[in-house]
Amino acid sequence: MSTPFDARNEKFAPLLVAMLKERGFDAHYAKDRVAALNTAISLIPAEHVVSWGGATSADEIGLIDAVKKRNKVIDRDTAKDIKERWTLMKNALHCDTFIMGTNAMSESGELVNIDGNGNRIAALAFGPSSVIVIVGINKVAKTLDDAISRARNTAAPINAQRFPERKTPCVTKGACFDCKSDECICNQISIVRMCSPAKRIKVIIVGESLGF
């Protein structure tokens, strides 16, 4: 049964898709996780080598498990040590399709991401011939400034909890203090305002809350 949340998304999503398409993105709307998974798989040729980074949203819709079964993958989590992990992350920049989420997206269609190592935003900007971005409706912010604020003050402190061994303020206190710690996970901030070449970046907006 449709809820007010669903009804709003069905009306709001076409506006977001239109804004993204104006910026050259290949944009899609999926009402739920099942539809999002089907859309994503349809955009990944079976012969593509696939990799990913910081892809909680993609994992939540089952996309990471799906490509592991269907495609050749570059998976940094299979590394035996940190040196091999860095090698795999560098190799991922040469894959055919790179999968990721986004920390935030403005209603006008700009993608905002914060990285510690920079591997996600490097792949987003240049390298893989195709990038698929899974965006839960919870990631959409009103303006670009709001999207940046969401990335720094909502997404980053939650993401930091995945690394309890780090002693950054966001890990110990749960909020951003604009730190300059050696262990900071907010070393690079990326704003993608246009997709070039057009349609290289495929954005799937999902009518559910995904990631953080």
Side-chain angles (χ1 to χ4, degrees), residues 24-152:
F25 297 97
D26 181 9
H28 305 262
Y29 174 66
K31 67 177 182 178
D32 55 30
R33 301 178 188 211
V34 174
L37 176 59
N38 290 335
T39 299
I41 289 296
S42 74
L43 296 172
I44 306 173
E47 67 272 17
H48 270 204
V49 176
V50 179
S51 193
W52 54 88
T56 301
S57 297
D59 194 32
E60 288 178 354
I61 69 169
L63 182 55
I64 303 303
D65 285 341
V67 296
K68 284 181 179 179
K69 295 174 182 177
R70 177 175 177 267
N71 295 80
K72 180 178 179 181
V73 302
I74 300 172
D75 182 359
R76 64 184 179 181
D77 289 335
T78 63
K80 299 185 293 292
D81 52 41
I82 190 65
K83 182 178 180 180
E84 184 181 2
R85 185 177 177 86
W86 274 93
T87 297
L88 290 173
M89 286 194 290
K90 291 176 181 178
N91 290 344
L93 298 178
H94 299 281
C95 74
D96 300 303
T97 294
F98 189 86
I99 298 168
M100 59 182 287
T102 191
N103 296 133
M105 187 188 103
S106 70
E107 288 186 8
S108 53
E110 296 133 319
L111 303 180
V112 178
N113 283 281
I114 295 180
D115 266 9
N117 296 321
N119 60 299
R120 284 190 320 139
I121 62 177
L124 179 62
F126 185 81
S129 57
S130 179
V131 179
I132 294 180
V133 184
I134 307 298
V135 185
I137 199 74
N138 55 307
K139 302 290 188 69
V140 179
K142 186 67 179 176
T143 68
L144 176 58
D145 285 344
D146 292 332
I148 294 171
S149 178
R150 186 195 189 282
R152 298 200 68 182

Side-chain angles (χ1 to χ4, degrees), residues 150-167:
R150 186 195 189 282
R152 298 200 68 182
N153 299 303
T154 299
I158 298 173
N159 186 36
Q161 303 309 310
R162 297 166 54 224
F163 312 103
E165 71 280 2
R166 297 188 181 224
K167 304 306 177 186

Side-chain angles (χ1 to χ4, degrees), residues 13 17 20-21 26-30 39 42-43 202-206:
V17 168
L20 287 163
K21 288 183 175 180
D26 181 9
H28 305 262
Y29 174 66
T39 299
S42 74
L43 296 172
K202 289 85 172 166
V203 179
I204 304 174
I205 301 168
V206 187

